[in-house]
C-alpha cells in the first residue's frame, strides 16, 4: 500500500464483542489505529472528526441506532466528509439501498469474508485520501456549477455542496465528458477502480443521491435505457 496507515484512525461502532475484537485485531495488524465503541451515543460523544473512517452496525443498543448516527454525521459540517461503512446483519436489498442513500461509502453484510472486508476498507480510504487538496487548481464549470478537481469541492450558486468521495468521482467523470453516455460498468470502473461490480445498483443509488445534491442540475444527469448515464446540456 502506498500511504501511511499509522495516520488512519478507524472507529468501529458495534455492541458485538466478537466483531469488535475481530475487526480491531485485524485492522491493527494491518497498521491502522482503531477505537471500538458499543453504542451510537458514545460515538457521538467522541471526537468524531479525528477519525478517517467510521464502521457501524445499523442495529445498536440505546435510543440512537446506526442509521441515525450516520444521518447526524452527514448533517454536521465537521463530520460530513468522513467516509462511513455499514457492517451489519441487515441484509435486505431495501436496507442496502437505504444505507447507500444515507451516505455510506460501502455496505458489508455479516457474516463477511475478512479478506474482502480489509480490501473494501482499503478501497474506501484510498478514495477518500485522493480527495486531499493539492497546490494547483483545476476546475470544470457549467453555468453556476463549479467543480474544483484538486480541492475536491463543488459550488452551486456560490454555495458549497458536500459530496462523498464516490459521488465526487462520478460527477467528475460525467462532467469531463458532457453530453456523452456511459454504461454502469464504465461509471463503476471510474468510481470504484480495481473493484469487481457485484451489485450494479450501487451506481444507480449513488447517482440518485448525487442528483438530489445537485438540486436543479440534477436534471442534467440523464439515464437513457440501454445506453447509460450522462451529464447533458439543458436549454
Amino acid at each position: 500500500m502506498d500511504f501511511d496507515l499509522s495516520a488512519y484512525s478507524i472507529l468501529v461502532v458495534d455492541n458485538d464483542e466478537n466483531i469488535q475484537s475481530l475487526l480491531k485485531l485485524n485492522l491493527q495488524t494491518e497498521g491502522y489505529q482503531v477505537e471500538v465503541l458499543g453504542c451510537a451515543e458514545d460515538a457521538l460523544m467522541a471526537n468524531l472528526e479525528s477519525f478517517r473512517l467510521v464502521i457501524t452496525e445499523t442495529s445498536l443498543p440505546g435510543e440512537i441506532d446506526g442509521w441515525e448516527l450516520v444521518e447526524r454525521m452527514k448533517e454536521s459540517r465537521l463530520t460530513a466528509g468522513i467516509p462511513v461503512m455499514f457492517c451489519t446483519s441487515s441484509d435486505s436489498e431495501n436496507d442496502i439501498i437505504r444505507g447507500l442513500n444515507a451516505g455510506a461509502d460501502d455496505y458489508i453484510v455479516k457474516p463477511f469474508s475478512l479478506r474482502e472486508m480489509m480490501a473494501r476498507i482499503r478501497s474506501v480510504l484510498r478514495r477518500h485520501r485522493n480527495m486531499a487538496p493539492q497546490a494547483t487548481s483545476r476546475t470544470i464549470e457549467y453555468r453556476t456549477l463549479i467543480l474544483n478537481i484538486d480541492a475536491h469541492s463543488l459550488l452551486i450558486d456560490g454555495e458549497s455542496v458536500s459530496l462523498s468521495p464516490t459521488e465526487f468521482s462520478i460527477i467528475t467523470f460525467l462532467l469531463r465528458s458532457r453530453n456523452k453516455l456511459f454504461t454502469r460498468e464504465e461509471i463503476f470502473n471510474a468510481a470504484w477502480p480495481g473493484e469487481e461490480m457485484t451489485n450494479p445498483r450501487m451506481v444507480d443509488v449513488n447517482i440518485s443521491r448525487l442528483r438530489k445534491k445537485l438540486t436543479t442540475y440534477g436534471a442534467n444527469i440523464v439515464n437513457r435505457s440501454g445506453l447509460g448515464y450522462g451529464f447533458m446540456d439543458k436549454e
Side-chain angles (χ1 to χ4, degrees):
M1 189 176 301
D2 55 357
F3 53 95
D4 181 10
L5 295 179
S6 65
Y8 284 76
S9 182
I10 298 174
L11 173 63
V12 176
V13 187
D14 199 309
N15 66 314
D16 184 329
E17 293 183 357
N18 291 327
I19 294 294
Q20 287 183 354
S21 299
L22 178 68
L23 289 179
K24 184 171 185 177
L25 174 62
N26 283 277
L27 286 168
Q28 287 180 334
T29 300
E30 291 266 334
Y32 300 102
Q33 301 175 35
V34 186
E35 183 172 342
V36 296
L37 295 172
C39 67
E41 283 87 349
D42 287 346
L44 291 171
M45 292 287 289
N47 184 22
L48 281 174
E49 56 266 33
S50 68
F51 294 100
R52 303 295 294 273
L53 173 66
V54 174
I55 304 171
T56 182
E57 166 66 85
T58 57
S59 178
L60 295 169
E63 297 182 1
I64 302 174
D65 59 16
W67 301 114
E68 186 172 348
L69 170 62
V70 172
E71 181 181 334
R72 293 194 186 189
M73 287 181 62
K74 297 304 177 182
E75 287 175 348
S76 169
R77 180 181 60 83
L78 294 175
T79 56
I82 298 173
V84 174
M85 297 174 65
F86 281 115
C87 177
T88 173
S89 301
S90 303
D91 61 353
S92 74
E93 183 179 21
N94 286 340
D95 285 327
I96 295 172
I97 299 303
R98 179 184 177 187
L100 296 173
N101 277 330
D105 291 84
D106 209 340
Y107 193 105
I108 311 292
V109 176
K110 300 174 183 176
F112 51 82
S113 157
L114 190 57
R115 183 178 177 183
E116 180 184 1
M117 180 69 160
M118 294 299 111
R120 289 167 76 166
I121 287 171
R122 286 193 294 269
S123 178
V124 169
L125 288 173
R126 188 178 295 109
R127 294 200 303 270
H128 190 258
R129 177 200 55 159
N130 288 339
M131 294 187 71
Q134 305 296 322
T136 59
S137 176
R138 293 172 294 149
T139 62
I140 300 175
E141 299 186 21
Y142 177 78
R143 298 182 180 175
T144 61
L145 183 155
I146 302 174
L147 185 78
N148 188 313
I149 296 171
D150 294 306
H152 289 264
S153 65
L154 175 66
L155 294 177
I156 294 179
D157 297 325
E159 296 291 327
S160 178
V161 178
S162 176
L163 299 178
S164 72
T166 301
E167 293 163 353
F168 190 88
S169 295
I170 291 174
I171 188 60
T172 301
F173 181 69
L174 296 180
L175 279 173
R176 276 176 166 157
S177 299
R178 278 207 326 267
N179 301 311
K180 180 179 178 181
L181 295 170
F182 297 94
T183 65
R184 287 184 178 88
E185 288 79 8
E186 289 173 318
I187 296 171
F188 186 91
N189 290 336
W192 290 270
E195 295 188 34
E196 181 181 354
M197 187 173 70
T198 56
N199 185 0
R201 290 293 302 277
M202 289 183 69
V203 173
D204 301 325
V205 169
N206 276 275
I207 287 181
S208 175
R209 198 168 65 201
L210 181 59
R211 279 172 169 157
K212 293 177 182 177
K213 292 186 177 183
L214 295 181
T215 58
T216 57
Y217 292 107
N220 291 85
I221 299 181
V222 303
N223 179 18
R224 293 181 180 163
S225 181
L227 297 174
Y229 290 99
F231 191 100
M232 302 296 180
D233 292 341
K234 296 286 186 179
E235 295 297 330

